[in-house]
């Protein structure tokens, strides 16, 4: 069962991160991972899948704090197009 495997892998990852004082908890890890997804221009639909959200809107609402930088980057990228 993939769900059980994911739970085991996440638990092991959390243990390793905690033991090595890298990240305090899986929520912090998930937040860092999710923010990184959006900062690296991963399509929101792909982000939804990677984060396990049932709706893309959920992913966008939770991690919208990275959008101002993304908007600025998009404006800079499109300045020469028009």
């Amino acid at each position: 069962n993939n769900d059980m495997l994911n739970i085991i892998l996440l638990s092991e990852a959390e243990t390793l991160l905690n033991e090595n004082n890298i990240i305090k908890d899986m929520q912090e890890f998930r937040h860092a991972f999710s923010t990184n997804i959006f900062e690296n221009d991963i399509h929101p639909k792909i982000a939804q899948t990677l984060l396990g959200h049932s709706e893309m809107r959920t992913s966008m609402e939770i991690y919208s704090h990275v959008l101002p930088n993304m908007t600025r980057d998009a404006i800079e990228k499109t300045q020469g197009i028009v």
Side-chain angles (χ1 to χ4, degrees), residues 62-81:
I62 294 172
Y63 300 102
S64 63
H65 65 280
V66 300
L67 295 179
N69 291 338
M70 293 173 67
T71 302
R72 187 172 34 256
D73 292 346
I75 291 169
E76 290 174 4
K77 288 178 182 177
T78 58
Q79 282 181 338
I81 295 175

Side-chain angles (χ1 to χ4, degrees), residues 6-68:
N6 287 338
I7 290 169
I8 293 168
L9 289 174
L10 287 173
S11 176
E12 290 297 317
E14 183 174 17
T15 299
L16 287 171
L17 293 170
N18 285 333
E19 287 174 353
N20 293 292
N21 295 317
I22 297 171
I23 290 181
K24 290 179 243 167
D25 58 37
M26 285 309 290
Q27 188 61 32
E28 183 180 338
F29 175 76
R30 180 179 173 82
H31 183 76
F33 175 74
S34 304
T35 299
N36 195 286
I37 286 173
F38 286 103
E39 288 178 338
N40 285 286
D41 298 326
I42 304 299
H43 191 279
K45 188 66 179 170
I46 302 300
Q48 171 200 350
T49 301
L50 292 172
L51 298 172
H53 294 144
S54 59
E55 296 183 26
M56 186 170 58
R57 185 181 83 211
T58 302
S59 305
M60 298 302 292
E61 287 175 357
I62 294 172
Y63 300 102
S64 63
H65 65 280
V66 300
L67 295 179

